[in-house]
Amino acid sequence: MSIVEVQQMVGNTVGQMSESLPALILVTAALSLTLAYFSKLAFRQPRSQGTDEKYPPHIPASIPVLGNAIAFGKSPIEFLENAYEKYGPIVSFTMVGKTFTYLLGGDAAALLFNSKNGELNAEDVYARLTTPVFGKGVAYDVPNSVFLEQKKLLKMGLNIAHFKKHVEIIEEETKEYFKRWGDSGERDLFEALSELIVLTASRCLHGPEIRSMLDEKVAQLYADLDGGFTHAAWLLPGWLPLPSFRRRDRAHRELKNIFYKVIEKRRQTTEKEDDILQTLIDTTYKDGRSLNDDEIAGMLIGLLLAGQHTSSTTSAWLGFFLAQERSLQDRCYSEQKDICGDHLPPLSYDQVKALTFLDCCLKETLRLRPPIMTMMRMVRSPQKVGDYTIPAGHQVCVSPTVNHRLRDAWSSRLEFHPERFLADNPAAGEKFTYVPFGAGRHRCIGENFAYMQIKTIWSMMLRLYEFELVDGYFPSVNYTTMIHTPSNPVIRYRRRERL
Ligand code: HEM
């Protein structure tokens, strides 16, 4: 089976993400109706009976159970921006029997980012999605203190010495991948970058053995596993006999078996690799306990999947912003020549880091198209914020997308203007106004890896090609997928003539 077919299989992942949100909402609503009475009791807006407590303003909805789900599902950012204008930074609404309270803007967001996990809890909202995919014993399946240790161990492996090797690997994979694009044409950019990033991430984050096994069958396993990250898995009960749930669970078992064999071999040999897998094999928790094979496999799967859609969506949007304005591409290309030399030799990590203007373009892409639209926590005990008390049972949310375009914080807020990041304080001062990687105890550990990977890939792509929009079409945002992908993401390219 050729690598092209393998990558097409990986590309199917993308297709599997695009389930229709409105359809799911309707299915969920049908299920919910049977529980409507109970959910009404559980999630009704509590009243401040005889106390001084004031609950956040609640957006009314005329449709029972569904609440505001249809208006929100159609255009979530518009919905939240209107809510901010009308009700202010803290606002609640109900969808499918659950109450969501959004903290809009940097000041309000501080509650979520500064909170203790016991009060605003991540496992309660994320575990049903992640545990079937990563497995038990890792991430949101364990107490947050254990997950924090796991993040620390993974971070040890995401170090500069490894990044130096990763740049070489990514450069090689990118050159190899784009051979099939030829001299010119029109292609699905998001699909290509998704296929490329699963290859680069597998080799950098999992090691050479696992990358070498990335054939058609393994690619399909990743696609099936990734098919677990859908609105369906988040909204519907896990016991439903859905084919996508069964495929996800089988893929999980089979992938774990592959990882177990590689870990076993590594444990037996005396020669040590210098990579993340080896770091996890050799390290221990604070209490001296080594990680077992199941934990290592789960952490590696989690590491790959946490970066897969986030990085491929961001890379694709970056491509469209660059294609939209030729002068940005020219500037990124000449920056490379200035830093690497006119003959453009292989990139080094230090050079990738020094590409300041490309860095600004990536930052600006993450401002306008942050892949994680909402971070969420379950309120376990009543929370005071400003004048309001948010009751237990609400799901508290912060949306980077909304914070990144607030009228009061950003100038030319909807324009792609990378130079703003050359200034010290592009977001008018507020602390949590720019949060593409989150903040606080749940902050992303993959930021430096993501920057290194995306900048290396785009540096190579700009050496190979010049890009333009197809007949001026800039993709609209597809709100039906969990991560907001570009709709119909086809780009036009032509081989760059080196002068
Ligand atoms: C452009 C790329 C990426 C973006 C925009 C992104 C964004 C985020 C955000 C917003 C969070 C916080 C979630 C929350 O607070 O609920 C997060 C957490 C996390 N990310 Fe990333 N991420 C990216 C790439 C990666 C990569 C490449 C990896 C791994 C190599 C990774 C691993 C993680 C992990 C382990 C967490 C911790 C979750 C927690 O503690 O609850 N991410 N990421």
Side-chain angles (χ1 to χ4, degrees):
M1 186 58 58
S2 75
I3 195 72
V4 182
E5 285 161 306
V6 170
Q7 285 152 354
Q8 276 163 358
M9 298 297 299
V10 177
N12 289 342
T13 304
V14 178
Q16 291 192 13
M17 290 290 287
S18 46
E19 287 178 356
S20 153
L21 180 58
L24 271 166
I25 288 170
L26 289 174
V27 173
T28 311
L31 277 163
S32 302
L33 275 170
T34 55
L35 300 167
Y37 175 71
F38 299 103
S39 59
K40 204 174 158 202
L41 282 182
F43 295 110
R44 77 180 164 194
Q45 176 68 3
R47 286 173 212 292
S48 28
Q49 290 160 335
T51 70
D52 291 338
E53 285 180 349
K54 196 165 122 193
Y55 296 113
H58 195 97
I59 304 176
S62 50
I63 313 171
V65 184
L66 270 183
N68 287 280
I70 291 177
F72 183 87
K74 225 168 78 186
S75 186
I77 304 309
E78 201 185 325
F79 180 92
L80 293 172
E81 286 187 332
N82 290 339
Y84 181 72
E85 292 294 322
K86 191 158 177 198
Y87 299 97
I90 302 161
V91 59
S92 303
F93 53 94
T94 303
M95 293 196 291
V96 204
K98 296 182 183 180
T99 304
F100 296 84
T101 295
Y102 268 81
L103 308 170
L104 302 166
D107 281 350
L111 172 73
L112 184 141
F113 292 130
N114 292 335
S115 65
K116 297 197 173 101
N117 197 57
E119 293 169 354
L120 294 188
N121 188 271
E123 298 93 274
D124 288 353
V125 285
Y126 293 153
R128 56 182 298 130
L129 202 60
T130 54
T131 302
V133 175
F134 307 157
K136 300 203 86 50
V138 296
Y140 303 108
D141 184 57
V142 289
N144 191 246
S145 54
V146 179
F147 184 27
L148 281 177
E149 268 204 70
Q150 294 178 342
K151 279 172 70 175
K152 230 183 226 161
L153 300 178
L154 287 169
K155 248 187 133 173
M156 277 165 45
L158 293 166
N159 61 41
I160 291 179
H162 287 161
F163 290 165
K164 287 186 172 171
K165 292 192 212 159
H166 294 166
V167 168
E168 281 174 37
I169 291 171
I170 295 168
E171 177 163 359
E172 192 186 311
E173 293 271 7
T174 307
K175 271 195 204 149
E176 185 57 35
Y177 183 89
F178 282 103
K179 278 183 184 160
R180 81 205 54 175
W181 271 33
D183 285 339
S184 63
E186 290 172 9
R187 298 265 191 154
D188 185 324
L189 181 66
F190 178 51
E191 186 181 84
L193 288 165
S194 302
E195 290 168 2
L196 173 61
I197 284 174
V198 87
L199 299 172
T200 53
S202 164
R203 199 157 144 205
C204 297
L205 302 174
H206 292 168
E209 305 97 316
I210 293 185
R211 166 64 182 88
S212 70
M213 287 181 205
L214 194 50
D215 60 5
E216 179 208 1
K217 188 167 170 283
V218 177
Q220 183 60 53
L221 293 178
Y222 276 124
D224 288 346
L225 193 61
D226 199 76
F229 285 128
T230 56
H231 288 111
W234 191 58
L235 290 170
L236 301 176
W239 47 260
L240 281 178
L242 293 186
S244 67
F245 289 7
R246 276 206 294 266
R247 280 199 301 272
R248 171 198 66 196
D249 296 342
R250 197 184 52 233
H252 176 80
R253 284 192 301 276
E254 291 185 22
L255 268 175
K256 279 270 176 86
N257 284 333
I258 293 174
F259 279 84
Y260 295 153
K261 283 186 196 133
V262 172
I263 297 166
E264 180 61 24
K265 256 199 175 151
R266 283 268 185 115
R267 287 195 196 279
Q268 279 166 4
T269 168
T270 47
E271 269 176 46
K272 285 201 188 289
E273 292 280 344
D274 178 19
D275 61 10
I276 295 175
L277 172 54
Q278 198 66 46
T279 306
L280 295 182
I281 289 173
D282 293 341
T283 195
T284 61
Y285 285 111
K286 275 193 299 216
D287 64 5
R289 181 174 78 78
S290 298
L291 279 70
N292 64 38
D293 292 5
D294 204 34
E295 287 166 321
I296 295 177
M299 284 161 76
L300 288 179
I301 291 174
L303 207 56
L304 184 117
L305 294 184
Q308 176 61 25
H309 289 292
T310 44
S311 301
S312 47
T313 313
T314 305
S315 310
W317 282 117
L318 171 59
F320 286 106
F321 283 120
L322 293 178
Q324 183 174 237
E325 206 182 312
R326 185 55 197 269
S327 65
L328 298 176
Q329 277 173 72
D330 292 346
R331 199 162 156 191
C332 288
Y333 184 64
S334 49
E335 179 180 62
Q336 269 200 75
K337 285 194 155 187
D338 290 345
I339 286 170
C340 309
D342 268 349
H343 57 300
L344 293 175
L347 281 162
S348 72
Y349 174 69
D350 290 334
Q351 288 167 344
V352 172
K353 273 219 70 135
L355 295 170
T356 311
F357 189 66
L358 180 58
D359 211 82
C360 291
C361 290
L362 179 48
K363 283 200 171 73
E364 182 70 336
T365 302
L366 285 164
R367 183 181 75 82
L368 286 173
R369 298 288 185 278
I372 306 231
M373 192 214 102
T374 293
M375 287 167 252
M376 224 180 269
R377 310 283 183 263
M378 177 64 80
V379 180
R380 284 191 171 177
S381 56
Q383 297 295 310
K384 280 276 273 186
V385 53
D387 291 343
Y388 300 118
T389 300
I390 306 173
H394 279 207
Q395 306 199 31
V396 165
C397 307
V398 166
S399 170
T401 319
V402 173
N403 286 15
H404 292 183
R405 55 172 75 185
L406 282 177
R407 247 176 251 286
D408 14 350
W410 300 91
S411 59
S412 314
R413 65 188 191 110
L414 299 179
E415 278 165 36
F416 190 82
H417 182 51
E419 286 87 353
R420 75 174 80 237
F421 283 100
L422 292 170
D424 278 347
N425 197 353
E430 283 184 24
K431 193 171 173 198
F432 298 116
T433 315
Y434 184 70
V435 280
F437 295 94
R441 61 174 48 243
H442 292 283
R443 198 186 195 292
C444 184
I445 55 164
E447 177 174 356
N448 292 339
F449 179 81
Y451 262 83
M452 178 274 298
Q453 171 159 262
I454 297 170
K455 284 176 75 181
T456 306
I457 287 175
W458 267 103
S459 300
M460 295 313 296
M461 287 173 72
L462 289 171
R463 287 181 182 193
L464 293 171
Y465 298 115
E466 290 165 319
F467 296 89
E468 64 178 45
L469 300 180
V470 177
D471 305 330
Y473 169 74
F474 189 89
S476 53
V477 180
N478 177 4
Y479 288 121
T480 65
T481 47
M482 286 202 91
I483 285 185
H484 293 166
T485 51
S487 297
N488 189 21
V490 177
I491 204 160
R492 187 175 287 157
Y493 60 95
R494 188 161 36 87
R495 190 166 296 285
R496 184 180 287 276
E497 282 179 23
R498 290 227 187 153
L499 300 173

